[in-house]
Each structure stands twice: as structure tokens, then as C-alpha cells.
Amino acid sequence: MDILELLNTFKKRFPSQQGEARIFFAPGRINLIGEHTDYNGGYVFPASISFGTYAVAAPRDDRQVRLYSDNFKDLGIITVDLDDLSYNKANNWANYPKGMIQAFIDEGFAIEHGFDILFYGNIPNGAGLSSSASIELVTGVALSSLYNLTIDRIRMVQLGQQVENKYIGVNSGIMDQFAIGMGKKDHAILLDCHTLDYQYAPLELGDYVIAIINTNKRRELADSKYNERRSECESALRDLQTQLPIQSLGEMSMTMFEEYKGLIKDDIHVKRAKHAVYENQRTKDALVCLKEDDLVGFGALLNQSHLSLQHDYQVTGIELDTLVEASWTQPGVLGARMTGAGFGGCAIALVEKDKWASFKENVASIYSAKIGYAPTFYKATIGDGANELNNKEVN
Ligand code: GLA
């Protein structure tokens, strides 16, 4: 859809709307490396992508908020009142924007009249590229513009995470909302999730591209497994804290971990904590590799990350492992790993541009033969973070 089509759809859905319709966009994200480290107080290295969520919005005079998603046409317009924004299962996807409006109100912002809003997302469905954080942040930028609010961008990012944690009930970390709220074209963000200090690293990949490969597996039990991993790490941390003055696993070096891992009572928890500590180091090393143009070193770190997520953190599964292992055997591939929470979703691979066609063909055929259905391939384009659009082209 381009801007014109979006505006037309908005007018068709909300024919009585006379106000000025404004257009907003929030991207999705990939994570280059630093997986399951954010809630462990470690580093992550994500980048915002050109797939994302568009929103068209205009104010109303009353206290109604009417929401429509072009991705869920069957659900029609969902109407809620500013005086009751509590979570309602029947509201389905609309709980994300509702949660964000509630978070803004709780933050003390005056939202005194309602609005009509249309969403359209082109992030592949259930792909683990953070469509939910993208809806949260596109709502955030829409609210700031529609109501002329001055809100610090990092605060908006934190409100998005709060919606996930307290309103939706997924104990996710800060990475997704940060990547989407703070993204920068052609850059990745190295973020210290403990202090929220961050730096942008130019993604200059020369003859290489980042492939995003969707397993197309439905991510069903993902949220409960995610919360389980998080509590396993918390338990490991508590054991370590009996003798160490640390607040998070992110504070431990690999040497320190090897010295004190005996304090962790449960063997499974040792593996989880090991991943968190070693992955954190790999993430810092990855920045150095990129700065030194060492794509081979960078690729090797991606591979190690996947192996650790497969064997120690155990969040990959046959679909992601098949994709990644098939990628490793292809000429022109410097590295590959799962990205995001895992249990399905997407993998990324660093692929030589000239080898793209054979890469796609071979990986697809290995995957389809083993899994029974095909994966989908995209070339990653790293775009800007969430914002209002000014007559720019819409993908
Ligand atoms: C999901 C969560 C993030 C992060 C990743 C794993 O995307 O939302 O906070 O924990 O999984 O790295």
C-alpha cells in the first residue's frame, strides 16, 4: 500500500471523519546478536527493518477510540472508550494500542478526546520480527503527534515494554521497543540493557546482505517458554548472589562465570546462565568485528550464538536448526543464526550478494524436504525508527 491507498482506506472505514488524517510508521526489528541477554542485564545488537506498521489517525470530539486493522479485516472496527481501556480478550490485536493509550494516561498525559485510527502492517505474520512492539510504538508516536505531547523517546520505549509486561503479560525485555523506537537507517544499535547506554554502528556489509529467513512455523507456546527461560536465569542469579555482589548475569565475565558456576544448584540453570554470560561477550566482540570490517569474525560469532541458543538455552527447535544448518553449508555464507525469541520465527544469515539465488534455492529445498513446507526469504533493509511520515513513499 502507498500513502494514498492508506488514506483512502482510512476514509472508507471512517467516512464521518472530518479531521486531518496523519500518517505514522514504526518498523519491525531483527537482532544481529545478543539473544536472551536483554532481561539478563546484558548487551543486544538489534536493527530496525523496513517492514513495519503504518497507522493513519485523526482526532474525534467525543471520548471514543475507534480502531481498525487492515490485517484483521474480519474483526472490523473495534470501539473502546477512553474511560475504560482495561485489557479485554475480545479486543484481540487492539489490546496493544489500548495498552499504550492507558500507559500514556497513567504517565500523566492529557488525552481528553478520542480518535479514529487505522493500522496496516507488512511484517510477516508471527515471524518474531516484533510486530507487537511495532504496534505499540506506532501508537506512541501517533499519540505524541495528535495530542502535541512532549515525551522523551526512551521513556516511550519503556512504556511500550510496560505494556508488554503488565498489560499483555509477557515478561519481555527492552530490546524490541528500543530497536523500533531508536532505530537508524543503515545502522545497528549496541545497547547495554542494564544502563540503557547505546551506540549506533554503521552496517556496512560490502558484498554481503543480511537474509531474513522465516521458518513459517506458528509460534504457539512461545510466550510460556519465554517466561520459563527468564525465571530459570533469575534462579541461577539468586544462587550466584549467595556469594557474589552482582545484580544481573550481565555483570559476569566468562572467567568469573567458570569460577563460580558451581554455586548454581540446577544443571539446566547452569546452561541457561552460561548462554547469557557468553552471549553477552559475543555481542561486545561483534561490535569490534563490525568496526574493524571483519565480517568473517562477525559471521563466526553468529554461528556460535546459534549453537549456544540450540544446546544451552534450548530455544531453537527443528525448524530454526534446519534453516541455520542448511545456511552454514552454502557457499558465500559467513554466518547464520536464529533471531528474536526463538521457538520458530526467523533466522538471519550473512550472505554474499552474488550467491543469493543459489542460497535461496538450496536452503529452501533442504528445508522443505525435511520440514514439509517452504521457508520465506527477504533481504533485510535497515530503516529508521518510529516516526510521523511526511509524504514519503510507503512500501
Ligand atoms: C523477544 C523479547 C526481547 C528479547 C528477545 C530475545 O523478542 O521481546 O525482549 O528477550 O525475545 O533476545
Side-chain angles (χ1 to χ4, degrees), residues 29 31 33-40 43-44 128-130 132-133 161 164-165 170-177 193 219 226 230 275 279 309 313 315 337-343:
R29 66 98 189 89
N31 186 22
I33 191 163
E35 216 64 86
H36 290 278
T37 43
D38 59 353
Y39 54 82
N40 283 312
Y43 284 86
V44 292
L129 300 174
S130 290
S132 64
Q161 186 195 6
E164 240 13 277
N165 295 172
V170 182
N171 270 330
S172 49
I174 190 86
M175 172 171 75
D176 301 347
Q177 288 79 7
C193 298
R219 290 179 61 227
Y226 182 94
R230 185 164 182 159
H275 167 78
E279 179 79 353
L309 289 156
Y313 219 68
V315 291
R337 61 180 287 274
M338 55 155 269
T339 190
F343 315 104

Side-chain angles (χ1 to χ4, degrees), residues 246-259:
I246 54 168
Q247 279 164 25
S248 73
L249 295 176
E251 287 168 52
M252 294 189 93
S253 67
M254 297 187 300
T255 331
M256 188 179 180
F257 178 77
E258 290 305 330
E259 198 178 328

Side-chain angles (χ1 to χ4, degrees), residues 130-143:
S130 290
S131 53
S132 64
S134 178
I135 299 179
E136 287 152 13
L137 269 291
V138 82
T139 307
V141 289
L143 291 172

Side-chain angles (χ1 to χ4, degrees), residues 116-373:
D116 293 331
I117 187 161
L118 166 131
F119 293 90
Y120 162 70
N122 59 10
I123 301 178
N125 223 349
L129 300 174
S130 290
S131 53
S132 64
S134 178
I135 299 179
E136 287 152 13
L137 269 291
V138 82
T139 307
V141 289
L143 291 172
S144 332
S145 294
L146 290 179
Y147 299 93
N148 250 324
L149 310 174
T150 310
I151 173 168
D152 176 64
R153 183 49 73 96
I154 293 186
R155 187 64 199 143
M156 190 194 292
V157 160
Q158 288 170 324
L159 292 183
Q161 186 195 6
Q162 267 178 37
V163 171
E164 240 13 277
N165 295 172
K166 297 192 182 139
Y167 191 91
I168 305 290
V170 182
N171 270 330
S172 49
I174 190 86
M175 172 171 75
D176 301 347
Q177 288 79 7
F178 201 98
I180 289 168
M182 300 292 290
K184 186 169 163 181
K185 190 172 168 33
D186 297 329
H187 287 73
I189 314 172
L190 185 85
L191 169 68
D192 177 342
C193 298
H194 185 57
T195 59
L196 295 191
D197 286 341
Y198 64 97
Q199 55 174 299
Y200 291 107
L203 259 186
E204 284 154 4
L205 302 175
D207 294 336
Y208 289 83
V209 284
I210 296 173
I212 302 175
I213 322 161
N214 192 349
T215 58
N216 290 328
K217 181 195 179 191
R218 294 177 64 87
R219 290 179 61 227
E220 264 145 11
L221 290 168
D223 290 350
S224 62
K225 285 276 177 207
Y226 182 94
N227 288 347
E228 182 184 293
R229 288 298 175 277
R230 185 164 182 159
S231 57
E232 287 166 345
C233 286
E234 281 162 3
S235 172
L237 176 65
R238 277 195 300 276
D239 290 346
L240 291 163
Q241 283 170 330
T242 56
Q243 285 190 31
L244 294 171
I246 54 168
Q247 279 164 25
S248 73
L249 295 176
E251 287 168 52
M252 294 189 93
S253 67
M254 297 187 300
T255 331
M256 188 179 180
F257 178 77
E258 290 305 330
E259 198 178 328
Y260 289 98
K261 67 183 181 191
L263 291 172
I264 305 172
K265 296 193 198 92
D266 185 312
D267 288 347
I268 299 271
H269 298 178
V270 176
K271 295 196 332 177
R272 308 297 191 240
K274 180 179 176 197
H275 167 78
V277 172
Y278 279 63
E279 179 79 353
N280 202 29
Q281 185 59 48
R282 281 189 285 272
T283 309
K284 290 187 263 183
D285 293 347
L287 177 75
V288 178
C289 286
L290 275 191
K291 281 191 166 160
E292 292 175 354
D293 258 341
D294 175 11
L295 290 186
V296 171
F298 183 72
L301 291 167
L302 299 186
N303 299 347
Q304 287 161 24
S305 167
H306 186 85
L307 288 169
S308 173
L309 289 156
Q310 179 177 4
H311 299 296
D312 286 337
Y313 219 68
Q314 296 180 298
V315 291
T316 55
I318 184 160
E319 297 83 2
L320 282 166
D321 291 338
T322 304
L323 272 188
V324 167
E325 285 160 13
S327 301
W328 286 343
T329 60
Q330 300 310 308
V333 171
L334 293 183
R337 61 180 287 274
M338 55 155 269
T339 190
F343 315 104
C346 288
I348 54 169
L350 194 54
V351 184
E352 202 180 327
K353 284 178 185 159
D354 288 350
K355 304 281 189 320
W356 178 258
S358 64
F359 166 76
K360 243 178 92 166
E361 198 185 314
N362 296 343
V363 173
S365 98
I366 297 172
Y367 185 83
S368 305
K370 185 148 175 191
I371 306 297
Y373 51 87

